[in-house]
Amino acid sequence: MPIYEFKNDAIIPLAETEFASHGIQERRDIQRILRSRIEVVAPNAMVIADEFGEWEDSKRRVDMLVLDKDANLVVVELKRTEDGGHMELQAVRYASMVSTMTFDQVVAAHGRYLAKIGKAPDGARDAILEFLGWDEPDDDVFAQNIRIVLASAEFSKELISSVLWLIDHGIDISCVRMKPYSLGDQLFIDVQQIVPLPEAADYQFQVREKAEKERAARVSHADYTRFDVSIDGKVHQSVAKRIAIYHVCKHLCDNGVTPEEIARLFTWRNNAWYCVDGVVDPDEFARLAGAKAKAGGPTFDRPRWFCDDGELVHSNGKTYAVSKMWGGENWRRAMNALKAAFHEHNIDFGPTS
């Protein structure tokens, strides 16, 4: 439907045009402008990165990686052709690639983006927390859903059909048409979300409501209790469960207990520690662990291990990192096992009062 100029004696349709006719390019112009006005295509959102492609063995890049107020990651793909081409297929691929990102990985990506545009990268974490209204990160809630926004001057019937099918199968995807019009030497853009279609709005709301209820149920069952932990008379107050495990394991290893001795206690799991050969620093540890995983060893995702400065354990010519993943009753079971096995270290713990 055209846009009209309203005058006292006439209604005059604006002339449809193309971005290319005005020398406007996708990345150089549209993507650059959307950096500061992402709400044009993704309301209530902030840009995390553009030209994002930080995964192994792939040269593909997300046009814009965005975060919304519900802590969902949003893949924004801009037009490739006047009819949208096959952008829905590549967007789904990108969504699957970013779906495993943790809060720390998103912070790192945003830091690199800030540096790229000439801003201080060390403000990335605070900027994201402030945008979400959070005091601390929460990976149990963060990026539980991945949204897709396709933005193009026009969309083919085949593309819209594909998007409607994806929506019908639970994929959160929308098409935003950015149609240019000219009036003399002025350029106007009509921005409209054309998919989901208006008559499908109730259905979309039901899908979204169901997802929110499922997310709320996951959060309501999460245990955020903080604990006071005492080891050889030293007390660590009000710490998260995984921090409590770390303090106990690190203290024991600093006092002559080997990681292997500790690992043998956890008979129900075999991934309490990640080990590499050599006495190495955190960066070298991450490099060696990544190579080990790529060669067929245990999976290594750096944010899931205590492997930053001062956290690593060195023993018998090897370097170890203790896991951060102690969900459900695994944590209490592990703490009780440590307390019983190393009673001489007077390990005790209880909820912070």
Side-chain angles (χ1 to χ4, degrees), residues 46-331:
M46 71 174 288
V47 175
I48 295 298
D50 65 357
E51 294 300 311
F52 179 80
E54 297 172 8
W55 34 66
E56 293 183 4
D57 303 326
S58 178
K59 295 181 180 179
R60 301 180 182 277
R61 295 179 179 274
V62 179
D63 287 341
M64 305 188 80
L65 182 63
V66 176
L67 182 69
D68 70 16
K69 282 287 189 181
D70 293 323
N72 301 314
L73 288 175
V74 186
V75 170
V76 177
E77 281 297 294
L78 304 178
K79 71 180 185 70
R80 297 292 179 185
T81 63
E82 286 301 317
D83 64 356
H86 299 288
M87 64 194 307
E88 82 281 15
L89 302 179
Q90 65 188 20
V92 169
R93 181 182 300 162
Y94 295 155
S96 71
M97 289 176 170
V98 305
S99 65
T100 59
M101 291 183 73
T102 64
F103 181 87
D104 289 339
Q105 289 172 326
V106 171
V107 167
H110 190 50
R112 288 186 285 272
Y113 167 74
L114 292 177
K116 172 183 171 181
I117 63 175
K119 296 184 178 181
D122 55 2
R125 185 178 187 273
D126 289 342
I128 293 173
L129 289 175
E130 181 179 357
F131 171 77
L132 294 174
W134 291 1
D135 293 325
E136 293 293 336
D138 188 347
D139 273 324
D140 289 329
V141 177
F142 188 76
Q144 293 300 304
N145 185 34
I146 308 297
R147 295 172 49 214
I148 297 172
V149 174
L150 308 178
S152 178
E154 197 52 82
F155 298 92
S156 68
K157 291 181 179 179
E158 291 83 359
L159 188 149
I160 290 177
S161 177
S162 296
V163 168
L164 290 173
W165 186 87
L166 290 169
I167 290 172
D168 195 44
H169 287 77
I171 305 299
D172 194 337
I173 182 171
S174 58
C175 294
V176 177
R177 184 174 61 197
M178 301 174 62
K179 187 68 176 176
Y181 293 85
S182 62
L183 178 63
D185 59 354
Q186 297 183 79
L187 182 66
F188 298 86
I189 302 177
D190 177 31
V191 181
Q192 294 188 43
Q193 179 174 306
I194 62 170
V195 175
L197 299 173
E199 56 265 32
D202 288 343
Y203 171 78
Q204 279 300 102
F205 176 77
Q206 292 170 10
V207 171
R208 190 180 308 114
E209 186 179 49
K210 179 182 178 182
E212 289 173 352
K213 286 180 178 178
E214 289 174 349
R215 186 181 305 126
R218 288 196 297 270
V219 173
S220 67
H221 286 92
D223 182 3
Y224 297 107
T225 306
R226 301 182 76 84
F227 289 82
D228 295 338
V229 180
S230 176
I231 318 159
D232 282 335
K234 183 177 181 180
V235 178
H236 303 274
Q237 295 183 321
S238 188
V239 296
K241 290 185 292 185
R242 60 184 178 181
I243 302 296
I245 282 280
Y246 162 74
H247 281 310
V248 174
C249 291
K250 186 67 163 58
H251 180 91
L252 293 173
C253 290
D254 287 345
N255 286 273
V257 179
T258 67
E260 287 86 354
E261 290 178 86
I262 295 174
R264 282 195 290 270
L265 295 177
F266 307 144
T267 55
W268 64 94
R269 60 179 297 178
N270 59 4
N271 59 345
W273 295 91
Y274 206 103
C275 170
V276 301
D277 291 329
V279 178
V280 299
D281 62 17
D283 289 339
E284 181 66 4
F285 179 89
R287 187 189 70 80
L288 292 173
K292 182 176 180 178
K294 193 171 183 180
T299 300
F300 178 74
D301 182 5
R302 185 167 183 168
R304 294 175 179 264
W305 301 90
F306 285 102
C307 56
D308 290 334
D309 289 334
E311 295 177 347
L312 293 170
V313 170
H314 304 294
S315 176
N316 297 322
K318 296 182 179 181
T319 302
Y320 297 79
V322 68
S323 174
K324 293 182 179 180
M325 311 308 293
W326 299 92
E329 284 300 307
N330 279 334
W331 176 81

